[in-house]
Amino acid sequence: MRRDDLVGEITIEDADGPWLSGRFIAGTAFPDLEPLFQQELVLLDTLDEDYERWEAIYGEITRAVQLVAPHGPVAEFVLHVQDGEAWFRWSDEPFAEE
């Protein structure tokens, strides 16, 4: 969600460790955010070389988007979206600092 606007819905099709993945159906708020998700994935490929750039873009995503589970909003998440697919992990508690 972005405030009261639907960014998209994820139908979970697979679970592997902490990661869940599935089909992503874009909502009305997604077109404005899609460039951020695209840029995040490009930077994800160079994460070891430039973590700060990825972190800055991902920060924009987490400030704009709220991940909502069936029981309500989650405290923290990592979400990737590309070509009608999404993969993510989430926690009801903030992730531990590494």
Side-chain angles (χ1 to χ4, degrees):
M1 297 294 295
R2 181 177 67 180
R3 293 178 294 282
D4 293 329
D5 298 326
L6 181 65
V7 174
E9 292 187 51
I10 303 168
T11 301
I12 298 171
E13 297 172 336
D14 192 29
D16 184 15
W19 291 93
L20 303 170
S21 62
R23 188 172 28 123
F24 176 80
I25 299 175
T28 58
F30 185 69
D32 291 341
L33 298 167
E34 187 173 14
L36 280 177
F37 282 102
Q38 290 171 343
Q39 189 174 8
E40 183 267 337
L41 286 173
V42 168
L43 293 171
L44 189 61
D45 288 338
T46 61
L47 194 62
D48 291 336
E49 294 86 34
D50 200 353
Y51 179 79
E52 290 79 20
R53 274 187 71 204
W54 174 85
E55 188 174 47
I57 292 298
Y58 198 76
E60 289 185 48
I61 291 172
T62 59
R63 285 188 295 278
V65 173
Q66 183 177 45
L67 185 66
V68 180
H71 66 277
V74 301
E76 194 149 6
F77 62 93
V78 176
L79 170 65
H80 310 290
V81 177
Q82 182 178 42
D83 299 331
E85 297 290 325
W87 57 106
F88 65 99
R89 59 185 288 186
W90 64 276
S91 175
D92 281 329
E93 301 292 326
F95 291 144
E97 292 290 324
E98 294 181 14

